[in-house]
Amino acid sequence: MAQVEKKAGLLRKSSASKKPLKEKVVLMYDEIFAKDDPAKNNPRFWEELFLMRVNLEYLEGKLESLDGDDLMKIKDNVNSLFHHCIQALGEEHQIKVVNALQTLCALLWGVHQKNKSTSGFDIINMLMGFDKAELRMKDLMESLDTLLCGEGSESLKSLCLKLLLCLVTVTDNISQNSILEYVMINSIFEAILQILSTDPSRRQHGYDAVVLLALLVNYRKYESVNPYIVKLSIIDDETTLNGMGLVLSQALSEYNRQYRDKEEENQGGFFSAITNMVGSMFISDADEKISVQTNEAVLLALYEAVHLNRNFITVLAQSHPEIGMMSTPTTPVPTTPTTPSSMDVMNSAELPLDPNLQTSNLLITFLKYSSIVMQDTKDEHRLNSAKLCLIILSCIAEDQYANSFLHDDNMNFRVNLHRMPMRHRKKAADKNIPSRPLACAVLDLMVEFIVTHMMKEFPMDLYMRCVQVVHKLICYQKKCRVRLHYTWRELWSALINLLKFLMSNETTLLSKYNIFQLALQVVNLFNMFITYGDTFLPTPNSYDELYYEIVRMHQVFDNLYCMVLRLSTNTGQWKEAASKVTHALVNVRAIINHFNPKIESYAAVNHISQLSEDQVLEVVRSNYDTLTLKLQDGLDQYERYSEQPKEAAFFKELVRSISLNVRKNVSLNTLSQDFLLKEFSSIS
Amino acid sequence: MGDADVDQAPAASEADLHESSADSDKGLHTEGNCLGVISEGTCELVIDPDVALKACQEVLEKVKMMHTGVSTEEDDVHCSDHLEHMDIHDELVNGETCDTHKTEKSNVYTDGNSINSKLRHSKASAPSKIREEEEPLPGSCNTVKNVRRRQKNNSAKQSWLLRLFESKLFDISMAISYLYNSKEPGVQAYIGNRLFSFRNEEVDFYLPQLLNMYIHMDEDVGDAIKPYIVHRCRQSINFSLQCAWLLGAYSSDMHISTQRHSRGTKLRKVILSDELKPAQRKKDLPPIAPAPELGLSPSKRTHQRSKSDATVSISLSNNLKRTASNPKVENQDEPVRLAPQREFIKSLMGIGKRLATLPTKEQKTQRLISELSLLNHKLPARVWLPTAGFDHHVVRVPHTQAVVLNSKDKAPYLIYVEVLECENFETSNVPVRIPETRIRSTRSVENLPECGITHEQRASSFTTVPNYDNDDEAWSVDDIGELQVELPEVHTNSCDNISQFSVDSITSQESKEPVFIAAGDIRRRLSEQLAHTPTTFRRDPEDPSAVALKEPWQEKVRRIREGSPYGHLPNWRLLSVIVKCGDDLRQELLAFQVLKQLLAIWEQERVPLWIKPYKILVISSDSGMIEPVVNAVSIHQVKKQSQLSLLDYFLQEHGNYTTEAFLTAQRNFVQSCAGYCLVCYLLQVKDRHNGNILLDAEGHIIHIDFGFILSSSPRNLGFETSAFKLTSEFVDVMGGLDGDMFNYFKMLMLQGLIAARKHMEKVVQIVEIMQQGSQLPCFHGSSTIRNLKERFHMNMTEEQLQMLVDQMVDGSMRSITTKLYDGFQYLTNGIM
């Protein structure tokens, strides 16, 4: 990142040094900013202008120095400039097209800078004039479409996308950007799809295209009919969807790779730190250093694809070799919308031959990414990322097709999730992870999250989502009688620990959240296991173990029961919520009350003070028949995810922050694109 | 025609006589198995066996006298040989009509000669008709005339031959035999022409023999065969490719320098260059003819498609190709006839080669799955599996179902292939691609089969128990009537949501009564359900194929069909194939042919032996494909997974000793065991460990892997000296040494051996021709054929044969070497 800035700075300087010379183009800009029609004296003015190399800095500076009123005075000339830019896009001479594109970027950018408060309509008026706006934008979009789909130079296409990104992100709140109304009418959706579906263009522009699409989809998402939403939701062309999946997968795995590199870097330092200091408490510090900036734009694109397009689910399971492990030349920072260069592993018809290469797919990459992002939810970006990850997982866990491949016994993968280094546990050796169906990896990730986030800044919302994901998976298993060979015990003990945490922090948590919702979810998960265990547990023993775990940790349930009973009997605000939990605890309590005396008497009869696990299991096994359970309703039902109205605010904020980020990078990029011009000037 | 007529006049009358002789032969044979045919006939005429026998013997006498008079040449020995067996061929050739013929002929002998002339008439017309078909064939005129002329020259013996050739009894097996044995170019040329008159399937069986003769025998044989091959190549892409592959494979043993210029290599080049296109294709396919003008007519597109798809690019859907035009392939009409299929096979082999480089099974499996998912992008195309018995196009490879098979250093793998049956894969349109994603519309949430039991069922199926838990404490606080039903707040967004709430909750809400269930019931259900499916194998990363092969075929088909975007089509079929790369399948092919021949013989002789020849496709001398035996797992896998003895496994799978299921399975086991024991003995199949013997769901055993047959044996360790593998475990399944089934087993073997002996020539012929020019280890040494013939024991009486069988069975039972060999395999390959 710093490097890019430096580069840009250098370029700035060099162009600044030329300033006193007053290039011809600068003189011409000055003419535009004068009140008279520049073409009056020189009929070939506009033609000449676009042959000139753009001086973006000057142009932007000039525009930024004008406020609304000043601008209105030279409105005709600005309109003219805009008009001629669009006309130049149709030119055969590529240098003119390039210059026009860059000028447009600067124009859009410059006008918005100073007039952030101005309403969108005024800006349209300033740039194009109300009466002409529709026609101008139609021409512009059509030209861009032609350029993007044509056989022209790739750098040219890249510039087109930059212009579009610039156009989309000029306002902080995308929905207030009235110019986009014209982008809605004159769709460039098809052009984006074509970029994604053809190989060389995907490699070079896929990232920009995907981000652009994600942003466009979020334009007035909730207020009006956004044609991009409609169109995105009905694509069923495999090549396009796969292309999109590849771009996302590439971006995510690039992040994973960077993280791993940093982690490895830090590990060296960390170990030397350990040798120096005894009783190190620095693990969390070391951990904080390992933070690669998250990239929400990619996640948003993934979310929109998964959420809007049912067909995209199949792409998640499309296997391809693990991209991150491929040849790892120095790759550009993924947060800039320049296209990562090491993109195309997939496009060669044959997969590369490397025995060390793990097969991967978008879902695996996503799970790994999530495991990294979820480790640390302290800053807002990461919290948002983690939330979005969980939302995406919810969508996936609800989908029947996704579930069918998550639970497919034939699709086994080793998924190395990142685990937070914690003092009380050893870092699990990566190599020992068996190859299992993907549902196991999802469950692992959820268990990992549950175990690692019991902290003062309790991410309540994330916990709810996390437990819901588990619930959705189990509902599928129950419904389709899938017996996943998963060590459910880990999940059970994680959930019980969660309950324990909720109770020990009751007062602090209750002041902020309704913890009973979460407690109810957790208890109901246990109810699923207790009453429907026969339909999805892998072995009879696992059912015994469930009882063992409940009986072993009976104190937690006892305490929970006491608490909810207390709160449901007095008339506080939690009365109703707490009483729900009371009812949900019926079976758990029945089990505890049934087996505890039996175990005690067994111990007494056999004169054993401490029963072994096997002995307890034996007691459990021999006393099932006298235990009666109550069948509870609605255990296998859940509320399906819907974005509106609950999540609308979140997405609005998210899109705003993504817009800012993208804008920052685009402007950086357009400035540092002088090399492009050189390419074209040498051609022409 | 003139020549032929002259020849035919006397021939016909004599042929008549011979037919009667043949029939008389039949009469003799009626003592044996063939008697059944006649006695089973529906005719009311009862034949007096004595009269028939007498008549037959008379005719036979005459025939024998003539034989001694005329036949001196080798050909004629064969000829008479064949005449003696003609009854059998007759039956083969005529098939069902045979019965009526016989009854008719029986009439002749019992009622006098009145119908004789009529019969003669019908018989004589048949060969001439065949000839009429032959004449107009390209290039055949001259040779046919040549043949005629030569035949005229030494008319005496030739007439014998000609009469044989032109009789209906002359079948493909005889044709091949004469082609191979005869030194007369005329005879060879004649048979070359005669090939055209056989049904394609009949000749196809002997294609390896024909091509091997073409490659390795002298010019004349080659010239005789070539027109037929060329003709068939023009007709069919499949035949062209089969020929090209076989030619390549069987030329590979030649020295590299001679190979390049050999006839076989040249023919192969011609075929692959696709010069052998059908000459009048346009006339053949009128519906396609108007296509070129339209540019984007369906047939045109499919053609283009199949090319581009099979080579590199993934064709773009049309709506996206807005600006780009695609002029490249437009005008090339024909050169892609063979290309798609060749590319398809090539990519399958490529996968195998790459898999071999990976160290672990798990990596191989994962790799295989991802490779196949890429392959899927190029389908459907005009490609097919040559091992299938019907015309089809491959539309999809369900990649997640593919498994890597157990092999130490190579990577054979098994794939399942979804195909759409069609009328003719060359002319029918290639099916349109249905995107993988389309499955979502057909199998959305709503249609998903509800496997779980509903709430109602659940409540009723559990014994609803009274609440006799003494611990009232647990319930005291609960006011059951007040129990609130927890329902999600929002559930009206779409129809999806509604379906998500399964029916159970809605129904149970109505009955407000709380439902109690016993925990013991849940636990019991769980263990019962798990016990109920003992037949699935555990997943083992080191043996990924075990689970896949154990799954019943029908179930697999149903499952894959459900998950396929093409599954709803009525002509959807599932095929499977094993792709072998790095293995020479020529011996397998030879074994397949012999097995097939033996099976036909046993069927014909009505010996209820059971063997399962599985199809082999030789693609080159080190690659090919095998049709997997469905519903079968290796005995090694059975034992390893079940940890039971074979008998206990039978009891577990089929039921107790007295159940019909068990008895059927046991009978199947015995019949297949006897069949394969004979096969193993006759072919000297070695390397018989439990990994190479499959057990199918009906109890049959199936031997696979014929890598060591005839003169070759693994590593020449001198192990496995017994005639075949018969372990005490096998005998246990048969019910022990004293059981009836064991005697039945020995009896079956004896009958099978007698039947095989009767038709020895047909078996030996297959092997003998393939020995020509071959370096295969199974032909090592000079005595392969002689030893093979000896194992038929032509000189033994049936009593002696019976003793031989007893001896072999005893020997195999007592044989330590078999046990030793199993131990050896366990130590070296981990095979139980």
Side-chain angles (χ1 to χ4, degrees), chain B residues 76-248:
Chain B
D76 289 357
V77 178
H78 274 276
C79 176
S80 61
D81 235 345
H82 280 128
L83 282 170
E84 273 169 31
H85 287 290
M86 239 178 213
D87 52 335
I88 299 141
H89 302 313
D90 189 359
E91 215 170 281
L92 279 180
V93 172
N94 291 336
E96 287 155 16
T97 59
C98 190
D99 278 12
T100 53
H101 267 285
K102 263 175 240 157
T103 48
E104 232 181 299
K105 285 173 210 157
S106 322
N107 272 338
V108 176
Y109 297 120
T110 47
D111 297 349
N113 287 339
S114 58
I115 318 170
N116 214 350
S117 58
K118 203 168 79 189
L119 193 70
R120 182 200 305 164
H121 185 73
S122 68
K123 281 272 172 182
S125 63
S128 64
K129 210 191 280 169
I130 292 168
R131 192 120 34 84
E132 269 161 26
E133 283 168 7
E134 280 167 39
E135 291 288 353
L137 290 171
S140 68
C141 274
N142 273 337
T143 42
V144 169
K145 275 196 184 129
N146 276 342
V147 177
R148 302 274 177 266
R149 208 166 299 134
R150 280 165 198 272
Q151 279 172 346
K152 222 175 156 187
N153 288 345
N154 35 12
S155 56
K157 67 171 185 191
Q158 291 296 348
S159 72
W160 272 100
L161 213 50
L162 194 61
R163 270 177 39 248
L164 170 69
F165 289 167
E166 297 194 335
S167 76
K168 263 200 160 180
L169 316 176
F170 184 68
D171 69 0
I172 179 68
S173 161
M174 288 157 94
I176 298 289
S177 164
Y178 276 97
L179 198 56
Y180 180 66
N181 288 314
S182 171
K183 307 264 186 305
E184 291 272 345
V187 172
Q188 290 164 347
Y190 173 80
I191 292 173
N193 286 327
R194 193 57 212 273
L195 287 176
F196 287 91
S197 64
F198 292 113
R199 284 186 299 132
N200 287 350
E201 305 84 75
E202 289 178 334
V203 185
D204 285 347
F205 179 77
Y206 287 100
L207 189 59
Q209 277 72 21
L210 279 176
L211 292 175
N212 204 44
M213 283 192 268
Y214 180 79
I215 297 166
H216 295 293
M217 286 173 68
D218 54 44
E219 202 88 2
D220 293 323
V221 181
D223 289 347
I225 296 169
K226 192 172 178 184
Y228 179 78
I229 301 293
V230 169
H231 173 71
R232 289 287 305 280
C233 282
R234 283 189 200 283
Q235 280 183 335
S236 152
I237 302 177
N238 195 21
F239 188 86
S240 304
L241 286 172
Q242 299 257 12
C243 282
W245 290 327
L246 288 174
L247 284 169

Side-chain angles (χ1 to χ4, degrees), chain A residues 145 149-151 190-191 193-194 197-198 236-242 310-311 313-314 318-320 346 348-356 358-359 398-401 404 408-414 435 476 478-481 483 520 524 530-535 537-544 547 561 565 579-580 582-583 586-587 589-590 593-594 621 624-634 636-640 642, chain B residues 312 314-317 319-324 354 357-359 362-363 366-367 369-371 373-374 377-378 399-401 403 433-440 443-446 448-453 455 458-459 462 465-469 471 473-475 477-480 482-490 493 496-497 499-502 504-505 508-509 514-527 529-530 539 559:
Chain A
D145 187 84
C149 298
E151 309 271 300
E190 288 72 19
L193 287 202
Q194 190 175 328
S197 61
T198 47
D236 61 354
D237 178 67
E238 269 175 291
T239 340
T240 315
L241 291 172
N242 282 338
R310 301 185 81 198
N311 302 322
I313 291 287
T314 53
Q318 242 346 306
S319 35
H320 57 76
M346 271 309 287
S348 50
E350 270 178 20
L351 298 173
L353 236 189
D354 181 356
N356 298 319
Q358 279 263 344
T359 320
E398 274 174 17
D399 188 277
Q400 295 291 343
Y401 183 83
S404 74
D408 190 335
D409 238 6
N410 277 315
M411 292 178 68
N412 291 302
F413 292 96
R414 250 179 246 281
S435 190
Y476 174 84
K478 182 227 154 200
K479 192 175 178 191
C480 297
R481 307 225 149 182
R483 299 183 190 277
L520 183 67
N524 272 341
I530 293 168
T531 40
Y532 294 113
D534 56 334
T535 57
L537 282 175
T539 59
N541 280 348
S542 49
Y543 195 68
D544 305 338
Y547 279 58
Y561 185 71
L565 195 62
S579 76
K580 278 185 189 170
T582 329
H583 296 304
V586 167
N587 284 332
R589 287 187 33 79
N593 291 331
H594 177 77
R621 256 179 231 123
Y624 275 124
D625 279 334
T626 43
L627 174 65
T628 312
L629 299 169
K630 187 153 46 170
L631 196 55
Q632 283 154 316
D633 282 315
D636 55 351
Q637 296 159 18
Y638 54 82
E639 184 186 345
R640 285 182 74 84
S642 73
Chain B
V312 234
I314 299 154
S315 80
L316 272 172
S317 72
N319 56 339
L320 287 174
K321 277 247 160 179
R322 294 183 308 157
T323 45
R354 289 193 287 278
T357 60
L358 297 175
E362 195 184 309
Q363 280 173 322
Q366 281 193 357
R367 174 63 180 233
I369 288 174
S370 47
E371 291 259 18
S373 81
L374 282 190
H377 288 296
K378 301 168 189 169
H399 51 276
T400 59
Q401 305 304 319
V403 283
R433 176 170 177 84
I434 304 177
E436 197 84 347
T437 52
R438 196 61 58 75
I439 179 90
R440 319 256 306 126
R443 206 187 70 169
S444 55
V445 195
E446 299 87 75
L448 203 83
E450 169 84 50
C451 330
I453 42 166
H455 201 86
R458 190 169 191 80
F462 281 118
V465 286
N467 183 9
Y468 55 72
D469 198 325
D471 196 355
E473 265 283 300
W475 303 97
V477 268
D478 294 317
D479 189 349
I480 291 158
E482 231 178 61
L483 196 89
Q484 279 177 323
V485 178
E486 171 81 9
L487 259 187
E489 296 106 312
V490 199
N493 252 0
D496 283 33
N497 290 348
S499 68
Q500 203 35 255
F501 305 114
S502 44
D504 35 341
S505 59
S508 69
Q509 270 170 46
V515 183
F516 294 104
I517 48 178
D521 280 341
I522 299 176
R523 172 65 159 70
R524 214 165 294 130
R525 272 184 103 84
L526 176 57
S527 38
Q529 273 163 17
L530 285 168
R539 191 157 289 281
R559 197 167 52 80

Side-chain angles (χ1 to χ4, degrees), chain A residues 290-467:
Chain A
I290 313 173
S291 59
V292 180
Q293 205 190 339
T294 52
N295 185 357
E296 283 96 19
V298 178
L299 269 194
L300 180 67
L302 176 61
Y303 165 76
E304 297 296 358
V306 168
H307 178 236
L308 292 175
N309 191 308
R310 301 185 81 198
N311 302 322
F312 189 77
I313 291 287
T314 53
V315 174
L316 290 174
Q318 242 346 306
S319 35
H320 57 76
E322 204 164 31
I323 302 168
M325 289 178 74
M326 289 304 297
S327 56
T328 46
T330 47
T331 33
V333 193
T335 39
T336 60
T338 45
T339 38
S341 61
S342 69
M343 193 84 151
D344 259 22
V345 179
M346 271 309 287
N347 298 308
S348 50
E350 270 178 20
L351 298 173
L353 236 189
D354 181 356
N356 298 319
L357 208 64
Q358 279 263 344
T359 320
S360 184
N361 58 36
L362 178 54
L363 187 61
I364 293 174
T365 312
F366 170 66
L367 287 175
K368 284 184 188 166
Y369 177 87
S370 302
S371 73
I372 296 171
V373 167
M374 284 179 188
Q375 282 185 28
D376 174 19
T377 49
K378 283 195 189 92
D379 74 283
E380 206 196 323
H381 274 292
R382 287 167 160 269
L383 192 68
N384 283 344
S385 275
K387 182 167 175 177
L388 193 47
C389 285
L390 281 167
I391 290 177
I392 296 171
L393 274 174
S394 303
C395 292
I396 292 172
E398 274 174 17
D399 188 277
Q400 295 291 343
Y401 183 83
N403 265 313
S404 74
F405 71 72
L406 279 176
H407 293 90
D408 190 335
D409 238 6
N410 277 315
M411 292 178 68
N412 291 302
F413 292 96
R414 250 179 246 281
V415 183
N416 289 319
L417 297 174
H418 287 261
R419 287 164 191 274
M420 208 194 293
M422 281 172 47
R423 250 161 287 153
H424 58 270
R425 67 173 186 189
K426 283 177 206 144
K427 203 161 187 266
D430 285 347
K431 292 279 182 277
N432 293 337
I433 302 166
S435 190
R436 294 174 302 170
L438 285 172
C440 292
V442 177
L443 286 169
D444 276 349
L445 181 64
M446 295 300 101
V447 168
E448 176 69 14
F449 180 86
I450 293 172
V451 173
T452 52
H453 288 77
M454 295 183 226
M455 48 194 174
K456 217 161 73 189
E457 292 292 315
F458 189 71
M460 185 67 181
D461 178 55
L462 299 190
Y463 265 105
M464 276 307 284
R465 291 173 196 280
C466 176
V467 176

Side-chain angles (χ1 to χ4, degrees), chain B residues 627-767:
Chain B
E627 174 196 35
V629 184
V630 297
N631 289 332
V633 285
S634 77
I635 291 184
H636 161 68
Q637 283 168 333
V638 165
K639 291 174 63 134
K640 192 175 167 200
Q641 291 274 353
S642 68
Q643 298 289 337
L644 297 171
S645 72
L646 206 53
L647 176 61
D648 289 337
Y649 182 76
F650 261 73
L651 291 170
Q652 175 198 298
E653 290 283 295
H654 302 286
N656 234 327
Y657 289 108
T658 48
T659 59
E660 196 171 330
F662 176 82
L663 292 173
T664 311
Q666 192 187 37
R667 194 179 58 241
N668 288 340
F669 182 81
V670 168
Q671 288 171 348
S672 58
C673 229
Y676 276 106
C677 281
L678 280 179
V679 167
C680 286
Y681 168 64
L682 292 174
L683 273 185
Q684 289 293 296
V685 184
K686 298 295 179 198
D687 194 26
R688 293 300 91 194
H689 54 75
N690 286 337
N692 278 342
I693 304 172
L694 306 186
L695 186 66
D696 79 0
E698 292 166 332
H700 298 116
I701 62 160
I702 299 128
H703 280 246
I704 56 165
D705 189 351
F706 296 94
F708 297 101
I709 52 171
L710 298 169
S711 301
S712 70
S713 149
R715 276 168 267 180
N716 292 321
L717 274 171
F719 273 159
E720 295 185 284
T721 46
S722 56
F724 38 76
K725 171 161 175 162
L726 187 67
T727 62
S728 57
E729 250 190 324
F730 283 18
V731 180
D732 285 345
V733 176
M734 293 182 199
L737 286 171
D738 312 319
D740 289 344
M741 285 314 265
F742 190 68
N743 287 329
Y744 178 54
F745 166 74
K746 288 200 280 190
M747 198 266 282
L748 280 178
M749 280 194 59
L750 178 64
Q751 284 184 354
L753 191 56
I754 292 170
R757 183 170 78 158
K758 192 162 142 197
H759 301 274
M760 179 188 84
E761 274 307 320
K762 278 187 179 178
V763 177
V764 173
Q765 165 198 35
I766 291 173
V767 182

